[in-house]
Amino acid sequence: MKIELATNEEIEKLYAKYKKFNTHLLENPKEIFPFVGIMDVYNRVLTEQEARDLLGYEQHNLRYGSRFLTAIIQMYHMNDESFVYFNKKAVSKAEFKFILSSLNRMEASIFRKIFATNKGIYKIGDKEALEFLVNLSVKELYFVDFFFPSLETILVGNYELCFLIYSKTKAGFEQCREIIELNELFIRE
């Protein structure tokens, strides 16, 4: 599994393209990203009753998580380089311990190493690393922001498998839509 700190040059390129790294905190993302959507299992917002009946970790995340993983791996393969942002300040000691206890020994070791430094931008070096990072979101343990520079798109992990999509270009957004739909998922705009 290969995850390494991004170089200063890589961070500067990302900043020049995206202007922000903590995209999950944007109040109005359309000011920076003209194409915004939510990757989801459903093509519409569920009613409260539907959400109670259909959502939940075991019946929803475990059932559909592999579709999200496959779609994100396909996006990863379309990029020369992919990066991830960790908002480390948002994790309390108790949350950190819970996350570690929910991971296997190797994953916990990698997670500890990532949190051993204050830096937050990492380069995803292989598919195994990407799977680990996506599964943190699928299992709702920790949500990261995925940067796909050649698609000019960011995916933000979120609860109930609703990954936010922020894209700088229509072409990047449509490429994501194509991959997402091939995996029997939807983009809600």
Side-chain angles (χ1 to χ4, degrees):
M1 186 178 319
K2 198 171 161 189
I3 302 171
E4 56 193 35
L5 275 172
T7 65
N8 288 338
E9 182 181 324
E10 290 168 332
I11 291 169
E12 287 171 17
K13 283 182 186 177
L14 288 170
Y15 186 77
K17 183 174 289 220
Y18 298 111
K19 307 293 183 235
K20 282 196 160 281
F21 294 125
N22 53 354
T23 50
H24 58 281
L25 298 176
L26 291 174
E27 288 188 33
N28 191 2
K30 285 205 171 208
E31 289 177 358
I32 299 173
F33 301 96
F35 304 94
V36 175
I38 299 173
M39 178 169 48
D40 197 356
V41 173
Y42 304 102
N43 63 354
R44 60 184 173 73
V45 176
L46 299 177
T47 66
E48 286 184 35
Q49 185 61 46
E50 288 172 323
R52 277 193 296 278
D53 294 344
L54 299 172
L55 301 180
Y57 180 73
E58 294 202 10
Q59 66 190 37
H60 183 69
N61 293 39
L62 292 179
R63 181 175 180 189
Y64 297 110
S66 62
R67 292 184 193 180
F68 288 81
L69 179 60
T70 302
I72 294 170
I73 288 170
Q74 290 169 350
M75 289 178 208
Y76 170 77
H77 286 304
M78 294 185 72
N79 283 269
D80 299 331
E81 300 176 314
S82 298
F83 299 87
V84 65
Y85 170 72
F86 285 85
N87 181 19
K88 297 175 183 179
K89 294 176 184 172
V91 179
S92 71
K93 285 184 182 183
E95 290 169 325
F96 186 74
K97 286 180 181 180
F98 174 78
I99 293 167
L100 292 177
S101 72
S102 301
L103 300 172
N104 68 38
R105 183 177 287 167
M106 185 183 78
E107 293 169 339
S109 174
I110 291 166
F111 199 77
R112 261 192 217 93
K113 286 177 188 173
I114 288 169
F115 273 75
T117 175
N118 288 332
K119 300 201 177 196
I121 303 288
Y122 289 79
K123 186 174 185 176
I124 302 169
D126 59 20
K127 180 182 162 194
E128 186 182 16
L130 180 68
E131 288 177 6
F132 166 66
L133 296 166
V134 171
N135 282 324
L136 288 173
S137 291
V138 168
K139 294 175 182 177
E140 297 184 355
L141 293 173
Y142 185 81
F143 302 113
V144 295
D145 298 2
F146 297 93
F147 292 79
F148 298 108
S150 66
L151 294 171
E152 296 191 66
T153 299
I154 301 172
L155 290 181
V156 180
N158 206 344
Y159 290 99
E160 295 163 349
L161 296 179
C162 290
F163 282 73
L164 306 171
I165 302 171
Y166 300 133
S167 192
K168 298 286 249 177
T169 66
K170 184 175 176 80
F173 191 78
E174 291 304 323
Q175 283 180 292
C176 290
R177 181 189 305 276
E178 186 177 310
I179 290 168
I180 288 165
E181 289 176 354
L182 282 172
N183 287 283
E184 300 177 39
L185 298 169
F186 299 94
I187 292 182
R188 289 189 283 120
E189 293 181 60

